Amino acid sequence: MGNTLPNPHDTLFKALLEDPERAGALLRESLPKALTDKMSGDPLPVDGSFINENLRGTHSDRLFQVALQDGRTA
């Protein structure tokens, strides 16, 4: 009867962001055009986290790296 997922929105966004092509589409739709115009290719997932160990059960983050048109990465 009830929702069995503790954080359904987190689960949805994690699933969307696991695929670099979908993550790229989501980021391009969400970020300002001035930033997305500088991106070259799709963002790639990076291991790591900024979430405090005590909060990991309730919060999550996804880190990405993307090549920029000038050869740098962000």
Side-chain angles (χ1 to χ4, degrees):
M1 219 178 187
N3 188 350
T4 59
L5 295 174
N7 298 308
H9 295 100
D10 283 351
T11 303
L12 171 64
F13 277 96
K14 282 182 185 180
L16 287 172
L17 296 176
E18 283 182 7
D19 176 54
E21 190 173 324
R22 284 189 300 211
L26 183 62
L27 290 172
R28 281 186 181 86
E29 291 174 5
S30 302
L31 293 172
K33 187 171 177 5
L35 294 176
T36 60
D37 284 347
K38 295 178 182 182
M39 293 170 52
S40 175
D42 289 322
L44 300 173
V46 176
D47 288 333
S49 178
F50 290 103
I51 302 296
N52 179 299
E53 189 65 38
N54 295 332
L55 299 174
R56 296 231 175 181
T58 59
H59 293 80
S60 66
D61 57 6
R62 293 282 181 180
L63 304 177
F64 291 91
Q65 181 174 341
V66 66
L68 301 177
Q69 291 178 358
D70 66 4
R72 296 180 300 157
T73 57

